[in-house]
Amino acid sequence: GEGAPEAVCNVPDLLEESKVWQWAGIGFGQQELYRLQKSLKTLAKDTGANWIRFFGVVKGTDKDYFVAEGDYAGEEGGEDGPERPPEFEAKGSGVNKYTYWVTSCSTGKWEILPDLEPKDIAASRSIKVLFSGNTKREIHTNPYFFGKEEIYLRAQIARISHSTTLAPKGYYKF
């Protein structure tokens, strides 16, 4: 045969990356990394994403989230309708450049997180809430947050990604 589908080939080897994490004092153990690697390959195959990588773990009070980031042109997550505000950044651009999936177990089913609107980022900046590990949980806080935990989680991932992105001097030409 021609070998594995192209999407499966575009999942970085977590066992090799784990050596760098161990230097920083971070580790999951060999079995957990192996299960996570297999789960990411299955996710890539099932979604047809161009590439997927392990983004990290977000701690929750009940369960933790394993987060995957990828380049995926399919339908967005969440239950939002097609009606979007004019300042909404379309899939593949701006804050919605990448797609994010989460699971609470390295062998569990991956859930796609919804694309964001500008109001989601603004709202996430004004509240402080612990994650529970349940994406469908209603968030009750002051000031009022209009979305579920999946929106808050996706907004925090976007904020983390934006705050930790580096570009070499001269990379962006104006």
Side-chain angles (χ1 to χ4, degrees):
E2 295 184 20
E6 191 171 321
V8 175
C9 297
N10 293 319
V11 176
D13 186 2
L14 293 181
L15 297 174
E16 288 183 22
E17 289 183 356
S18 71
K19 294 173 187 170
V20 176
W21 300 339
Q22 287 173 353
W23 293 337
I26 301 167
F28 298 110
Q30 292 292 326
Q31 279 189 326
E32 186 73 2
L33 283 172
Y34 178 75
R35 286 191 296 260
L36 192 55
Q37 178 74 33
K38 292 301 232 179
S39 183
L40 287 171
K41 285 185 177 187
T42 301
L43 176 64
K45 180 181 170 193
D46 291 348
T47 62
N50 294 328
W51 59 266
I52 290 180
R53 73 178 185 102
F54 180 63
F55 184 82
V57 176
V58 175
K59 297 292 186 179
T61 55
D62 296 332
K63 297 182 280 186
D64 298 336
Y65 290 113
F66 290 96
V67 182
E69 174 186 69
D71 182 15
Y72 174 63
E75 293 183 29
E76 68 188 57
E79 300 169 4
D80 296 339
E83 189 67 32
R84 297 292 191 174
E87 65 274 8
F88 177 76
E89 295 174 323
K91 181 175 272 308
S93 65
V95 72
N96 296 317
K97 181 173 183 175
Y98 301 119
T99 302
Y100 293 90
W101 293 267
V102 295
T103 186
S104 294
C105 175
S106 61
T107 58
K109 184 178 184 318
W110 290 89
E111 177 182 343
I112 193 169
L113 293 177
D115 287 340
L116 293 176
E117 296 181 14
K119 67 178 182 165
D120 300 329
I121 300 279
S124 74
R125 288 186 180 126
S126 64
I127 65 171
K128 292 183 180 176
V129 176
L130 295 175
F131 293 107
S132 69
N134 175 8
T135 57
K136 302 304 179 195
R137 176 182 72 122
E138 294 283 340
I139 294 178
H140 302 285
T141 185
N142 188 11
Y144 179 72
F145 187 78
F146 53 87
K148 297 185 187 314
E149 186 166 295
E150 66 184 348
I151 297 287
Y152 183 57
L153 174 61
R154 176 63 179 87
Q156 294 298 62
I157 290 170
R159 292 178 62 203
I160 291 167
S161 181
H162 173 72
S163 298
T164 59
T165 301
L166 299 175
K169 185 177 180 179
Y171 182 75
Y172 293 105
K173 306 274 184 196
F174 295 101

